[in-house]
Amino acid sequence: MYIVDTIPLALIPRNQPQILSYFNKEPLKRGSIVEVLLGSRKIKAVVVDSATIRDRKMVYRKSVGFKLKNISRVINPESQVSNSQFRIAGYISSRYYVPLGISLKTILPPFWGKKKYKLEISDSEAEVNMKETEPEFVKTNLKDHFKDYEKLILNEIKKGRQVFLLVAEQTSAKYLLKSFSKLRPANISSSVSNEELYKVWQGVKKKEINLIIGTRLGLFLPFADLGLVIVDDESNEFYKSDMMPRYNGADLAKYICSLYGSRYIFSAVLPRLESLDKKHAKLTGSLSTQRIVSMVNEVKSGNFSILSRSLKNSILGQIEDKKNTIIYVPRRGHANFLLCQKCGQSVKCPNCSVPMVLHKKETSILMCHHCSHSELQPKLCSNCGSYKLKPYGVGTQKVVEELERMKKYSDWLKDVNVLRLDSDVSDNDVEKELEILEEFENKKPSILVTTQIAFSYKYLIKVPFIGIINADALINIPDFRAEESLLRQLYTLGAITDKLTIQTYNPDSPAIKSLSEIHGFINQELDNRKAFSYPPFSSLVKLTFRHHNFVKARDESRIVFEKLRLAVSQSKTKIKVLPPAPAFISREQGKYVWNIILKVPLEIELAERNELLRFIPAGWIVDVDPRHII
């Protein structure tokens, strides 16, 4: 009789044992697949190790107070998981504090375990030699962007080594696949069928494919000789997974490179401050052609339009020259909220603590952008019964409406093609988005009113002029990354145009002022973050609890905070635990949301941090290196 250690592919709370042992009559290979009982459920599991009862007798005699069950059945006695896959799963589980079984399940291909697709784990995958790699930075040139990587890729392929080009979105993948079509690259993403994915998997394993372009799913390919990983647009927020395990693909790529001993190169128009080291901190740049327009002065001078005089003149100038224009609007819809002018009450979502956005379709409706709840625009205020409900704020629909109104009074605008590109129009359909962009490109003069969706096509867009409506909407959130995010968006827009006009109610914002010289902003921002122990000078962990009952959510958060504070004082760790607080959106989809933030100094080992996280009970969300802390 043998004792077999397994990793069940199920969600086992992280503060409980992740490797479970079972009896079996015969030893099993590391990586083989079995079925085990977990409570009353039958779960697939992967074998980690086998040992005789004699070998384990002393250990179990001292520490085990329960009876081991038998393995239900052996699904596949041959190894189906490589040593590198075990390593990656273990790293994700430890780094992001998620169940080991979920981590392993995440990195296994979708076709894994199906009889139709045979996997053979070769001897060469049995050993893994870790080797630290030094990150290298390449500044993105949006014009002919693929040329930033061309020499790097060709040099590695000439050496007979493999290259993985990691992208955040399929729109970027399509551009790069077309640009490098002569090299016959393979594409990998969640939208690829199992049959095609299996072909790529086998081709990479046998070294028949040298260039792979794809999303973070490609990080888990069985590379035969990986020489280079390029992370395209590493500041893109889509690298961060929204679901468990909440890992960041751009950061995980560094570990993959160390696993295979390959080079790690990341690029961005403006990289994350967390990615800047002493060499990159000297990053400089400017947008000398930008114009900042104070909307406060516009109002004082009698212009109450959402378009400043300067922006209108610039648009008319582009139209006269038969050139295209982009109007960038941070928010979709018609207006950001509906406000009662009598009592000051806004119309909020019944499920979330946010005002609903006004959309004008066949009829005017209010929509919540968090839970998708919608209702007809009310005629009376629900709080005081007043009919004085007025829309405030600017969305894409309102800008289009204003441009259409201008067309009636200007001969120059009469034949202008006004297009709108946002998720309301495209329904997140890439083909629809490309059709709109193609029409915009082919019909001149045209005006494209768009949102952040334009950043997905930044490699395809080049226009002589861009106007930004209400840049302040990009920064009106109490998060330490808000100004950095604003600067990145403005800087990216400035990189795809010759002239940029920014409308703002706060022209003295550091992010806006620093467009003429970003070096000063970077230094000041790094000083601020160092003073308050924010990344890159610490690692953050956001602990989130949600509940339908406000009192339950509040009290649970306070109890966990006290546990953590007591644990910190007893262990004398340098980890800082901030008191619990309601989230910025304190109620979402009917649940009250509370957060606790941990600031973990960089010198703290993962084991020490994870020992503290063991006090987090089930039902909490643990988000390491979160996108935001609000």
Side-chain angles (χ1 to χ4, degrees):
M1 187 67 73
Y2 290 82
I3 293 175
V4 179
D5 299 329
T6 70
I7 301 174
L9 302 180
L11 198 161
I12 300 174
R14 188 61 174 75
N15 53 9
Q16 295 180 16
Q18 300 294 296
I19 297 178
L20 304 183
S21 301
Y22 294 84
F23 283 130
N24 197 54
K25 292 180 180 179
E26 299 176 348
L28 292 170
K29 290 182 180 179
R30 177 178 169 86
S32 57
I33 311 173
V34 297
E35 184 180 83
V36 298
L37 276 175
L38 193 62
S40 60
R41 296 180 299 157
K42 290 183 178 180
I43 302 291
K44 278 186 179 179
V46 178
V47 174
V48 179
D49 192 17
S50 296
T52 63
I53 293 179
R54 181 180 296 178
D55 292 339
R56 297 284 183 89
K57 194 172 182 179
M58 292 303 297
V59 175
Y60 280 90
R61 180 182 294 175
K62 292 179 180 179
S63 61
V64 175
F66 55 86
K67 292 183 179 180
L68 297 184
K69 299 176 183 178
N70 290 317
I71 282 177
S72 300
R73 67 187 178 100
V74 177
I75 298 174
N76 192 332
E78 297 302 318
S79 180
Q80 298 294 290
V81 178
S82 69
N83 196 42
S84 60
Q85 287 174 319
F86 278 120
R87 286 280 192 101
I88 296 169
Y91 173 80
I92 292 175
S93 176
S94 179
R95 176 75 180 84
Y96 296 96
Y97 199 75
V98 290
L100 182 58
I102 297 299
S103 298
L104 185 56
K105 192 174 182 179
T106 298
I107 71 169
L108 295 174
F111 57 78
W112 184 86
K114 298 180 180 180
K115 292 182 180 179
K116 184 179 177 182
Y117 306 101
K118 294 183 179 180
L119 291 175
E120 295 179 0
I121 306 301
S122 62
D123 293 336
S124 61
E125 292 177 285
E127 295 297 330
V128 178
N129 297 314
M130 298 292 292
K131 181 182 177 182
E132 291 295 326
T133 55
E134 182 72 20
E136 302 171 53
F137 173 64
V138 174
K139 194 175 188 305
T140 299
N141 172 28
L142 293 180
K143 185 180 180 181
D144 296 329
H145 170 56
F146 70 96
K147 291 183 179 179
D148 295 332
Y149 309 140
E150 197 169 35
K151 289 183 180 179
L152 294 165
I153 291 172
L154 288 173
N155 286 340
E156 290 298 324
I157 290 177
K158 285 178 182 177
K159 296 175 186 176
R161 306 198 72 186
Q162 294 171 312
V163 177
F164 177 52
L165 179 45
L166 176 64
V167 295
E169 306 170 82
Q170 269 300 97
T171 50
S172 298
K174 285 188 175 183
Y175 163 77
L176 292 167
L177 286 164
K178 183 178 179 181
S179 301
F180 291 113
S181 58
K182 292 182 180 179
L183 299 176
R184 294 183 297 173
N187 180 33
I188 185 167
S189 71
S190 57
S191 61
V192 175
S193 67
N194 276 348
E195 287 77 9
E196 187 61 32
L197 182 57
Y198 180 71
K199 288 180 183 177
V200 174
W201 192 274
Q202 294 296 88
V204 170
K205 182 182 176 64
K206 295 175 182 177
K207 211 177 177 181
E208 296 170 352
I209 298 175
N210 290 324
L211 175 59
I212 307 96
I213 299 174
T215 56
R216 56 179 182 255
L217 181 63
L219 291 169
F220 311 128
L221 287 168
F223 298 104
D225 188 9
L226 183 64
L228 172 65
V229 174
I230 300 175
V231 180
D232 179 64
D233 190 18
E234 68 91 37
S235 61
N236 195 306
E237 64 177 16
F238 289 119
Y239 281 125
K240 176 73 173 178
S241 173
D242 286 327
M243 299 180 293
M244 185 187 294
R246 292 175 172 79
Y247 68 95
N248 188 307
D251 293 335
L252 180 61
K254 296 177 187 177
Y255 178 79
I256 300 297
C257 287
S258 65
L259 198 65
Y260 290 97
S262 54
R263 292 175 68 190
Y264 174 87
I265 293 176
F266 66 98
S267 78
V269 175
L270 191 65
R272 295 176 295 167
L273 291 188
E274 290 95 318
S275 304
L276 294 172
D277 59 19
K278 291 181 180 179
K279 290 186 296 184
H280 308 137
K282 295 180 180 179
L283 183 69
T284 59
S286 65
L287 294 177
S288 57
T289 56
Q290 89 274 6
R291 175 180 291 175
I292 300 171
V293 178
S294 171
M295 294 305 289
V296 175
N297 292 338
E298 290 288 314
V299 173
K300 286 180 179 179
S301 63
N303 179 24
F304 299 97
S305 170
I306 59 174
L307 303 178
S308 65
R309 294 184 179 91
S310 174
L311 183 54
K312 285 180 182 178
N313 290 335
S314 295
I315 293 172
L316 292 173
Q318 296 301 309
I319 292 168
E320 186 179 13
D321 295 337
K322 303 294 182 182
K323 294 179 180 179
N324 286 353
T325 298
I326 287 179
I327 305 298
Y328 179 77
V329 189
R331 301 286 184 263
R332 57 190 171 99
H334 185 271
N336 302 149
F337 57 94
L338 204 61
L339 189 72
C340 177
Q341 292 180 291
K342 185 176 180 181
C343 69
Q345 184 82 22
S346 62
V347 182
K348 292 187 176 181
C349 172
N351 305 317
C352 311
S353 61
V354 291
M356 289 192 288
V357 178
L358 178 64
H359 289 255
K360 288 191 175 181
K361 298 183 179 180
E362 293 80 8
T363 57
S364 294
I365 64 168
L366 293 173
M367 181 181 294
C368 176
H369 288 178
H370 295 271
C371 70
S372 299
H373 170 82
S374 63
E375 57 187 58
L376 291 174
Q377 179 181 351
K379 294 181 180 179
L380 301 175
C381 174
S382 60
N383 185 52
C384 68
S386 172
Y387 62 88
K388 294 183 177 180
L389 290 173
K390 184 178 179 180
Y392 285 87
V394 181
T396 50
Q397 284 184 322
K398 194 170 186 177
V399 174
V400 170
E401 190 178 273
E402 177 71 9
L403 291 171
E404 293 293 348
R405 189 186 65 80
M406 287 173 59
K407 288 174 69 171
K408 295 178 182 179
Y409 302 101
S410 173
D411 292 335
W412 286 3
L413 286 166
K414 189 179 297 182
D415 299 322
V416 173
N417 192 29
V418 178
L419 301 167
R420 179 159 65 100
L421 176 60
D422 58 27
S423 57
D424 290 334
V425 173
S426 69
D427 293 323
N428 295 316
D429 185 327
V430 174
E431 296 304 321
K432 283 185 181 179
E433 292 166 2
L434 288 171
E435 286 176 11
I436 294 170
L437 286 173
E438 186 177 358
E439 183 181 353
F440 172 67
E441 180 67 26
N442 294 334
K443 291 185 179 181
K444 296 181 179 180
S446 291
I447 300 174
L448 179 68
V449 180
T450 185
T451 59
Q452 294 184 33
I453 202 170
F455 293 124
S456 297
Y457 301 95
K458 56 183 174 290
Y459 305 138
L460 305 177
I461 298 173
K462 183 64 181 177
V463 290
F465 176 74
I466 293 178
I468 299 175
I469 305 292
N470 194 17
D472 309 278
L474 299 170
I475 201 173
N476 289 336
I477 53 173
D479 188 78
F480 74 97
R481 288 194 180 96
E483 288 194 336
E484 179 194 352
S485 177
L486 171 60
L487 175 62
R488 181 173 295 108
Q489 291 186 53
L490 297 180
Y491 201 75
T492 302
L493 290 169
I496 61 178
T497 187
D498 299 321
K499 296 179 182 179
L500 182 69
T501 293
I502 304 166
Q503 292 187 177
T504 175
Y505 287 91
N506 183 21
D508 293 325
S509 166
I512 293 175
K513 291 177 71 176
S514 64
L515 284 171
S516 58
E517 178 50 64
I518 66 171
H519 183 57
F521 172 83
I522 289 174
N523 284 339
Q524 183 60 54
E525 187 69 8
L526 287 173
D527 288 342
N528 292 341
R529 293 194 184 184
K530 187 175 184 179
F532 292 98
S533 297
Y534 281 121
F537 303 101
S538 70
S539 174
L540 298 180
V541 181
K542 183 168 76 170
L543 310 174
T544 303
F545 185 74
R546 303 169 186 265
H547 201 275
H548 291 287
N549 185 284
F550 171 80
V551 174
K552 173 67 176 176
R554 181 197 63 191
D555 291 351
E556 172 71 9
S557 300
R558 289 176 176 176
I559 290 169
V560 171
F561 170 69
E562 292 300 332
K563 284 183 179 178
L564 293 174
R565 189 168 65 170
L566 181 61
V568 165
S569 64
Q570 290 178 345
S571 63
K572 297 181 180 179
T573 180
K574 293 182 180 179
I575 298 175
K576 296 179 182 178
V577 184
L578 302 187
F584 182 61
I585 300 174
S586 59
R587 186 167 177 260
E588 191 170 12
Q589 298 182 1
K591 292 183 178 181
Y592 294 93
V593 186
W594 282 70
N595 294 328
I596 297 174
I597 304 298
L598 305 184
K599 292 183 178 180
V600 185
L602 298 181
E603 65 269 18
I604 298 290
E605 298 288 338
L606 284 180
E608 183 179 341
R609 185 206 66 182
N610 290 347
E611 189 61 32
L612 179 64
L613 291 177
R614 287 177 62 84
F615 289 93
I616 306 301
W620 282 73
I621 296 173
V622 179
D623 190 0
V624 176
D625 299 331
R627 286 182 184 175
H628 54 76
I629 61 172
I630 56 176

